[in-house]
Amino acid sequence: MILIRFAFLTDKKLLDAYQKAIELQLSGQFIQILEEELRKRNLKQHTSTP
């Protein structure tokens, strides 16, 4: 199991990282990790993807 902490990222930077990961078509697993953190912060509704 991979444990990644995103506490050092502001909400804005996390959202930016997520959008950039989608744009660059990065690993689906990485995008899922970002999405989980977005859900934890209740930010998923701020993304432009489903």
Side-chain angles (χ1 to χ4, degrees):
M1 178 181 174
I2 298 173
L3 179 62
I4 299 177
R5 297 211 163 228
F6 291 102
F8 62 92
L9 285 178
T10 64
D11 290 350
K12 168 89 170 87
K13 290 198 182 284
L14 178 61
L15 286 163
D16 289 347
Y18 176 74
Q19 292 298 332
K20 195 65 169 181
I22 296 292
E23 178 185 319
L24 296 174
Q25 300 177 353
L26 298 183
S27 159
Q29 184 178 12
F30 179 67
I31 292 171
Q32 285 180 319
I33 292 169
L34 293 174
E35 287 175 341
E36 178 60 30
E37 184 64 23
L38 289 168
R39 279 191 290 277
K40 285 180 185 176
R41 296 186 191 194
N42 200 27
L43 297 173
K44 184 68 172 129
Q45 71 274 12
H46 296 291
T47 63
S48 60
T49 58

